[in-house]
């Protein structure tokens, strides 16, 4: 689980200056992108050490408009544009975090983060260990990722395996509007670096949420547990367990709905927190059904899906009625837009996997 927030030595977190109140409150129907915007705005309003920067996040409000309005509300010293230099963005954010700030940076597209990879793996991930915990990095790296938007290579990578393989990084990916808000606020509050993977195809999905109730989770003295290190049961079921996260959750839920119409009950688990990983919830879910299918958009070889399947096999072997199967993207570069639908895991591929889970013939 995540550590409790603490400041680096001599860098007490300043209180935010009084400013405009929340732009929305109460029960609202909002998009996934708007939930992220509100999470950043509420965090910035509560803590003056939180600031947002990256390519085109200021005046434009981000390619997907996730930072829209933050510069207008908080000023250019709190939300600002940077040069097109991802390594420089992460390097600057690291220095700011060391000195008491809480940067939230955007990489614009998944593969655009690769020029900053050395900074992330060599410095961001290792600073706490290098200093024996004396220097923490409260830094969030927001990465719009995965497919589903008809983009091309360099714009649709599922790059989670690179980050989950790197000790020292927390890696999160929400799949619902509510989780978009809660998980980003939890990430910003964390004293350690978080890679926050945002499924691009979910940005304009909508749901009705109670913003006042969500904000109450972060009121002084709130004892509501955070989302870091906690998976969620998205749908109950008894016959088999589908395990997915981020951009693959919609396909998993759609497959479960189709299966229900055919008389089969599928449980769906949203991993949410890739690192730290919730072994307890996921293993208990698989033991309850005895069958598991892991679903992810990324290529299957040496992937997060591989790790989940291995952990289930190690922990649930004597409860399994069939081998753990995976439904993933293919081991090829991300395809052209017209071929994307064949590459991404869909309902038919998921249900084909479920059908092959060694069911006993009646």
């Amino acid at each position: 689980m995540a550590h409790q927030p603490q400041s680096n030595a001599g860098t007490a977190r300043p209180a935010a200056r009084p400013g405009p109140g929340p732009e929305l409150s109460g029960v609202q129907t909002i998009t996934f992108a708007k939930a992220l915007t509100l999470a950043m705005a509420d965090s910035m309003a509560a803590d003056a050490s939180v600031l947002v920067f990256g390519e085109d996040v200021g005046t434009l409000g981000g390619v997907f408009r996730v930072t829209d309005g933050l510069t207008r509300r908080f000023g250019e010293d709190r939300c600002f544009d940077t040069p097109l230099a991802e390594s420089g963005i992460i390097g600057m954010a690291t220095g700011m975090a060391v000195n008491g700030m809480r940067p939230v940076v955007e990489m614009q597209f998944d593969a655009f983060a690769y020029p900053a990879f050395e900074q992330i793996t060599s410095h961001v991930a290792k600073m706490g260990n290098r200093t024996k915990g004396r220097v923490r990095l409260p830094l969030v790296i927001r990465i719009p990722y995965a497919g589903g938007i008809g983009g091309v290579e360099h714009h649709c990578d599922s790059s989670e395996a690179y980050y989950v393989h790197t000790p020292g990084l927390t890696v999160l990916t929400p799949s619902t509007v509510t989780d978009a808000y809660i998980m980003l606020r939890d990430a910003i509050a964390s004293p350690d670096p978080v890679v926050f993977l945002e499924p691009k195809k979910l940005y304009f999905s909508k749901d009705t949420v109670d913003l006042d109730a969500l904000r109450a989770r972060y009121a002084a003295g709130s004892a509501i547990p955070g989302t870091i290190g906690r998976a969620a049961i998205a749908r109950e079921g008894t016959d088999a367990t589908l395990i997915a996260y981020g951009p693959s959750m919609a396909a998993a839920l759609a497959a479960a709905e189709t299966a229900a119409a055919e008389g089969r009950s599928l449980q769906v688990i949203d991993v949410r927190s890739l690192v730290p990983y919730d072994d307890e919830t996921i293993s208990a879910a698989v033991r309850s059904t005895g069958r598991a299918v892991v679903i992810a958009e990324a290529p299957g070889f040496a992937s997060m899906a591989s790790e989940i399947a291995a952990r289930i096999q190690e922990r649930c072997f004597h409860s399994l009625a069939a081998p753990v199967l995976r439904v993933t993207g293919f081991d090829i570069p991300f395809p052209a837009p017209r071929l994307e639908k064949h590459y991404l895991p869909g309902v038919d591929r998921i249900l084909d996997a479920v059908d092959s889970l060694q069911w006993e013939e009646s």
Side-chain angles (χ1 to χ4, degrees), residues 239-256:
D239 292 337
T241 301
L242 306 182
I243 302 153
Y245 55 86
S248 298
M249 277 299 297
L253 289 168

Side-chain angles (χ1 to χ4, degrees), residues 255-305:
E257 190 69 24
T258 300
E262 298 173 354
R264 184 165 284 163
S265 174
L266 300 183
Q267 182 184 48
V268 182
I269 303 297
D270 186 349
V271 179
R272 301 199 302 181
S273 178
L274 306 188
V275 176
Y277 176 81
D278 187 354
D279 271 313
E280 182 178 357
T281 297
I282 295 169
S283 295
V286 174
R287 291 189 193 105
S288 73
T289 65
R291 292 176 170 86
V293 176
V294 184
I295 305 154
E297 286 192 9
F301 187 81
S303 64
M304 184 68 198

